[in-house]
């Protein structure tokens, strides 16, 4: 009896026997029974359906139906989650639950910034760490703060298959900056600076980094460059460091405190750099100096100007009064013109003997008038008796005289020439117990020796005289 051939199938009379494409069965006559074991070995991806022919043994030939198909299945792949995500890297995972009909020859992940990207069109990252059914791929060189799409894949002789698409987002850039030194008080319409701060980051995207700030401030990437109210800094992706120079130009008397804003570079949070300054219009800084040359009716008063403030000094001097704590501007001003090295003096004349005076230095600028602290001086007292201070007297000049310890009354002032003739006379009312006065000697008096006499007119008998020389 013969079991005929059918492509893809072999036969044996025992399970563990030798399988052949045909079998020749020897049997005695009579009743017969034999189990035939069939093995299917496809050699191509196709259907192997057919009939196994059996003939001989004096019986009728028969066909035994046999069916099977040759296949070459691919692996089964799933896409797992993303981990260890940074600004520029991530670890992407997958699993291979089934290897299919042949050995896995390659596996890994494929990623793209396009959602739904076609299989095979992304960036493939091969993996070599399959453990059991799990593997992962380290992905680097990514862009900051960007959404990525990815799939796991595996390849055997049956082809390459992909898992479902998943997504992750790289972290945003983190911008940092050094502190900016405060500008302090700056005269209006006077540029100040530059001060500077440094922006830095471990990694940024290639997107421009933008700098803007409050009114009054401008920026440049170089100390001597052109300053503008905003900056756009172009740079490559990767580590970043940039010095930004800041100028301050106040245009009004006010505070200019605020924040400089730094954005871009893939950062999701605005970086703020505090900045502060104030516009001022300060006056001069004035100090009141000492009093010297203290005479009975004059003194030399001094002051100093250590700073002109925000504008030029146009006038300066001393203001004085006989009242302590007098309000600024309520005294008598003595302008000065001898400023040297910040110091000046002014001569106060026409003062009263033995009197306490109060004085302040002042300076006037475009910002107004500034004063030093109030100080005091006291004029000298009169000497005893009748005194002529300008003896000899210049022809047509001033005769300055004084007398103390007299009674308030009416007095006659006379000039008597060498012949005893009164050539000058005038009455003077004296309300106090002294006289400290002056008058011009008439210019028509010839040079010579004269007598100045002072007489009380109330018949008290008081009289004082002093001779002087007229040149």
């Amino acid at each position: 009896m013969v079991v005929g051939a059918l492509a893809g199938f072999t036969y044996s009379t025992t399970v563990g026997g030798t399988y052949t494409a045909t079998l020749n069965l020897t049997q005695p006559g009579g009743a017969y029974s034999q189990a035939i074991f069939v093995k299917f070995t496809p050699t191509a991806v196709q259907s192997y359906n057919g009939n196994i022919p059996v003939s001989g043994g004096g019986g009728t030939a028969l066909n035994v139906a046999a069916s099977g198909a040759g296949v070459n299945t691919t692996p089964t792949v799933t896409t797992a989650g993303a981990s260890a995500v940074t600004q520029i890297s991530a670890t992407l995972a997958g699993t291979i639950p089934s290897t299919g009909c042949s050995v896995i020859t390659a596996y890994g992940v494929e990623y793209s910034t396009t959602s739904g990207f076609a299989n095979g069109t992304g960036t493939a990252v091969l993996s070599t760490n399959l453990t059991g059914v799990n593997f992962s791929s380290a992905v680097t060189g990514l862009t900051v703060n960007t959404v990525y799409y990815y799939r796991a894949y595996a390849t055997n002789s049956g082809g390459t298959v992909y898992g479902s698409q998943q997504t992750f987002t790289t972290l945003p850039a983190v911008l940092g900056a050094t502190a900016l030194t405060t500008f302090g008080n700056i005269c209006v319409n006077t540029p100040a600076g530059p001060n500077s701060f440094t922006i830095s980051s471990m990694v940024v995207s290639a997107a421009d980094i933008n700098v803007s700030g409050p009114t009054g401030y401008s920026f440049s990437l170089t100390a001597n460059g052109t300053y503008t109210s905003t900056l756009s800094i172009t740079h490559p992706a990767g580590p970043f460091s940039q010095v930004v120079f800041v100028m301050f130009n106040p245009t009004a008397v006010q505070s200019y405190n605020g924040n400089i804003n730094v954005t871009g570079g893939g950062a999701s949070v605005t970086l703020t750099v505090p900045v502060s300054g104030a516009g001022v219009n300060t006056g001069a800084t004035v100090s009141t100096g000492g009093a010297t040359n203290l005479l009975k009716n004059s003194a030399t008063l001094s002051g100093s100007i250590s700073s002109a403030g925000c504008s030029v000094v146009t006038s300066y001097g001393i203001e004085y009064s006989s009242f302590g704590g007098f309000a600024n501007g309520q005294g008598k001003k003595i302008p000065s013109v001898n400023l040297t090295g910040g110091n000046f003096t002014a001569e106060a004349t026409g003062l009263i003997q033995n009197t306490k005076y109060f004085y302040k230095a002042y300076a006037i600028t475009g910002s107004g008038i500034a004063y030093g602290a109030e100080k005091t001086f006291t004029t000298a007292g009169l000497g005893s008796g009748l005194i002529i201070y300008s003896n000899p007297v210049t022809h047509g000049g001033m005769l300055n005289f004084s007398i103390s310890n007299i009674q308030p009354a009416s007095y006659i002032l006379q000039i008597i020439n060498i012949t005893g003739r009164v050539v000058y006379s005038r009455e003077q009312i004296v309300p106090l117990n002294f006289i400290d006065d002056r008058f011009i000697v008439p210019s028509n008096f010839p040079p010579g020796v004269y007598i100045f006499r002072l007489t009380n007119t109330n018949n008290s008998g008081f009289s004082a005289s002093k001779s002087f020389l007229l040149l």
Side-chain angles (χ1 to χ4, degrees):
M1 185 176 293
V2 178
V3 179
L6 178 62
F9 298 91
T10 55
Y11 319 106
S12 175
T13 57
T14 60
V15 172
T18 299
Y19 286 77
T20 58
T22 61
L23 277 181
N24 290 315
L25 302 174
T26 301
Q27 75 282 343
Y32 181 76
S33 177
Q34 176 64 54
I36 303 299
F37 296 91
V38 182
K39 182 179 289 188
F40 178 43
T41 307
T43 58
V45 178
Q46 64 180 43
S47 173
Y48 283 85
N49 298 336
N51 292 307
I52 300 172
V54 181
S55 61
T60 302
L62 57 88
N63 292 313
V64 178
S67 64
V71 296
N72 191 10
T73 57
T74 57
T76 302
V77 182
T78 60
T79 305
S83 62
V85 178
T86 71
Q87 285 86 358
I88 57 173
S89 64
T91 298
L92 309 180
T95 65
I96 306 174
S98 170
T99 61
C101 289
S102 58
V103 176
I104 299 295
T105 57
Y107 58 95
V109 294
E110 185 173 290
Y111 69 92
S112 173
T113 56
T114 302
S115 179
F117 67 99
N119 294 336
T121 63
T123 300
V125 181
L126 187 66
S127 180
T128 58
N129 60 2
L130 184 64
T131 302
V133 298
N134 302 306
F135 68 90
S136 63
S137 293
V139 178
T140 59
L142 305 179
T143 300
V144 170
N145 198 25
T146 301
V147 178
Y148 284 90
Y149 305 89
Y150 69 100
R151 303 183 183 100
Y153 73 87
T155 302
N156 66 7
S157 61
T160 300
V161 292
Y162 292 82
S164 60
Q165 177 180 284
Q166 292 204 36
T167 184
F168 70 96
T169 303
T170 51
L171 298 180
V174 177
L175 298 175
T178 57
L180 178 63
T181 301
T182 180
F183 285 91
N185 294 332
I186 302 299
C187 295
V188 294
N189 300 314
T190 303
N195 294 349
S196 66
F197 65 97
T198 300
I199 307 168
S200 60
S201 178
M202 295 290 290
V203 62
V204 293
S205 71
D208 286 356
I209 291 178
N210 303 303
V211 179
S212 62
T215 300
Y217 299 95
S218 55
F219 312 98
S220 175
L221 297 183
T222 58
N224 297 318
T226 300
Y227 285 79
T228 54
S229 59
T230 60
L231 281 181
S232 289
I233 306 171
T234 302
H235 57 89
F240 178 81
S241 180
Q242 177 65 59
V243 177
V244 176
F245 295 90
V246 185
M247 290 291 291
F248 176 41
N249 189 5
T251 57
V253 177
Q254 65 180 50
S255 170
Y256 284 83
N257 298 340
N259 287 308
I260 298 170
N261 295 323
V262 182
T263 60
S268 61
V269 177
T270 298
L271 171 66
T272 57
V273 180
V275 59
S276 64
V280 296
N281 191 16
T282 55
T285 302
V286 184
S287 297
T288 305
T292 57
N293 300 325
L294 298 176
L295 303 178
K296 62 184 178 62
N297 51 21
S298 66
T300 301
L301 309 177
S302 64
S304 63
I305 303 172
S306 58
S307 170
C310 288
S311 56
V312 176
V313 174
T314 57
S315 179
Y316 58 93
I318 298 293
E319 184 171 303
Y320 74 93
S321 172
S322 59
F323 298 99
F326 69 99
N328 293 339
Q330 296 301 306
K332 180 178 180 179
K333 286 186 172 62
I334 311 172
S336 178
V337 293
N338 60 3
L339 184 67
T340 303
N343 301 310
F344 64 89
T345 60
E347 297 298 322
T349 59
L351 306 178
I352 298 174
Q353 62 90 22
N354 196 30
T355 300
K356 187 175 185 178
Y357 287 91
F358 304 84
Y359 69 103
K360 308 169 186 175
Y362 73 86
I364 300 174
T365 67
S367 302
I369 185 167
Y371 287 85
E374 181 179 281
K375 291 188 175 184
T376 66
F377 69 93
T378 301
T379 53
L382 300 178
S384 61
L386 177 62
I387 301 173
I388 296 176
Y389 294 94
S390 49
N391 192 4
V393 179
T394 303
H395 189 74
M398 189 75 68
L399 187 149
N400 187 340
F401 70 97
S402 71
I403 189 168
S404 60
N405 298 317
I406 63 174
Q407 295 179 353
S410 173
Y411 290 83
I412 295 295
L413 283 68
Q414 296 175 322
I415 296 178
I416 304 169
N417 65 14
I418 193 68
T419 66
R421 178 170 170 254
V422 176
V423 294
Y424 177 86
S425 179
R426 79 174 192 190
E427 184 179 6
Q428 182 165 339
I429 304 299
V430 179
L432 303 172
N433 66 345
F434 70 92
I435 301 175
D436 182 21
D437 202 358
R438 65 181 66 188
F439 63 92
I440 296 176
V441 176
S443 61
N444 59 349
F445 286 7
V449 176
Y450 291 82
I451 295 174
F452 173 78
R453 183 167 63 192
L454 181 69
T455 305
N456 190 322
T457 62
N458 63 359
N459 298 318
S460 66
F462 173 83
S463 179
S465 61
K466 179 79 71 173
S467 62
F468 67 95
L469 176 63
L470 180 65
L471 299 179

